[in-house]
Amino acid sequence: MYSAPTDPADQQRMRRAFARSAETLGATVTGPEVWGWHGRTLSARAQYPDQGACWLRLLSAPEDKAAGKLWEGNREAAALFDGRLRKPLLYDTTQSSTDSYAYRAELHQYVAEPVLSASPVLRTDPDPSARWWESLRTDLDYVSSTPTDRVAVRQEWVDRAVPRFLHMPGPRITDCTTAHGDLHTANLTSLTPYLLDWEKFGRAPAGYDAAMLLAYSLLVPEFAQRIRDTFRVLKTEPGRVAQIIVITEPLQAASSGDHPELVPALHALGDELA
């Protein structure tokens, strides 16, 4: 969970758009507001006449940037995966624009399970069951085998970012599969598990999801080891490539102030993989 935007005008702009979207969709907000990263999303529990309890999520972007992978991700993921694996169903959407901003509201199935951690960076061991791990592996196997034209990771980005943040040449991506694209413990529920927030899904290096879950779990060695034991791809050469690429992403985010506590562990893993 993140904080509200620091600018009160942005807070009010998002709240007004959220209320308009709820009215358009016929949903009644019943829960407290939940802000996303840097205030780009606002969500809350809502009641929907046809489905009961739902999760209403509002995404905002300047009008000239309201397109592409992140904007369409949840809708396109719903078309491929709803009813086929453990993810919240997408019931309805609406889109609007005002004052040079565009908004997409999504009404999702409400999942009454807590997430494994409030932050993407895991700090304590949630110790999920063996069934939890098996369910996650099964669903990620299904995701990886599902064709898509969406691209989550591009070679051009790898060639720029890996030398900058890991001081080594960017590896070539030779094995690609479909990935959730943002797999960390804040996007996994603690019981089933449900896989949340699909806006980044697309083609990525084989092992990308397991590598990302590992990268954000490095501060909890017991949990990190279970990731390695569950996802054997991490012990292969494609898995090594995926880990090098993945750890570059939180290092890039840390350069802007996000989760600096993870940086030493990421560099240590990078040294192991070099």
Side-chain angles (χ1 to χ4, degrees):
M1 185 181 300
Y2 295 91
S3 301
T6 55
D7 186 345
D10 279 335
Q11 294 182 31
Q12 294 307 311
R13 174 180 61 80
M14 288 288 285
R15 287 172 177 141
R16 287 193 299 269
F18 190 83
R20 288 195 305 268
S21 297
E23 182 177 5
T24 299
L25 290 167
T28 302
V29 176
T30 59
E33 63 184 27
V34 177
W35 290 95
W37 182 76
H38 289 198
R40 64 183 287 272
T41 65
L42 177 59
S43 304
R45 184 176 179 175
Q47 196 72 15
Y48 192 48
D50 293 339
Q51 303 294 344
C54 295
W55 188 252
L56 179 59
R57 177 182 185 268
L58 179 75
L59 170 65
S60 170
E63 280 190 291
D64 61 345
K65 297 181 179 179
K69 184 178 74 173
L70 296 182
W71 194 253
E72 299 289 346
N74 280 321
R75 182 184 62 81
E76 294 181 356
L80 283 178
F81 301 118
D82 273 13
R84 297 175 177 88
L85 49 76
R86 295 162 184 84
K87 71 175 289 295
L89 302 175
L90 177 63
Y91 294 135
D92 204 353
T93 65
T94 186
Q95 191 162 320
S96 61
S97 60
T98 184
D99 298 329
S100 300
Y101 279 89
Y103 303 93
R104 177 185 286 276
E106 302 166 344
L107 202 59
H108 295 269
Q109 175 188 2
Y110 180 74
V111 178
E113 296 180 17
V115 291
L116 282 184
S117 65
S119 165
V121 178
L122 187 66
R123 292 179 172 82
T124 59
D125 188 0
D127 194 20
S129 67
R131 182 177 294 180
W132 186 96
W133 286 105
E134 181 61 30
S135 174
L136 178 61
R137 183 170 58 190
T138 298
D139 281 352
L140 291 183
D141 284 347
Y142 184 86
V143 172
S144 69
S145 66
T146 302
T148 180
D149 293 332
R150 286 171 56 92
V151 178
V153 180
R154 297 186 182 277
Q155 185 68 53
E156 295 83 359
W157 178 85
V158 172
D159 292 341
R160 293 193 308 270
V162 172
R164 177 183 174 190
F165 293 101
L166 285 177
H167 310 294
M168 65 174 74
R172 302 302 300 174
I173 302 172
T174 57
D175 295 88
C176 274
T177 62
T178 301
H180 172 278
D182 197 18
L183 195 75
H184 48 67
T185 50
N187 279 337
L188 289 167
T189 64
S190 59
L191 300 178
T192 301
Y194 282 90
L195 283 68
L196 312 178
D197 194 357
W198 287 76
E199 65 181 9
K200 293 183 179 181
F201 93 93
R203 302 287 291 174
Y208 183 86
D209 282 334
M212 178 162 288
L213 186 59
L214 175 66
Y216 278 102
S217 303
L218 290 173
L219 301 186
V220 184
E222 301 88 349
F223 192 84
Q225 185 58 50
R226 283 196 289 276
I227 296 169
R228 293 184 171 101
D229 292 341
T230 301
F231 299 102
R232 309 298 289 180
V233 65
L234 295 175
K235 301 181 185 298
T236 68
E237 178 58 20
R240 186 186 76 89
V241 168
Q243 289 178 78
I244 290 171
I245 292 170
V246 160
I247 62 179
T248 305
E249 296 188 40
L251 285 173
Q252 184 179 46
S255 70
S256 300
D258 290 338
H259 310 304
E261 71 277 14
L262 197 55
V263 168
L266 292 169
H267 278 300
L269 179 57
D271 291 341
E272 292 178 20
L273 298 168

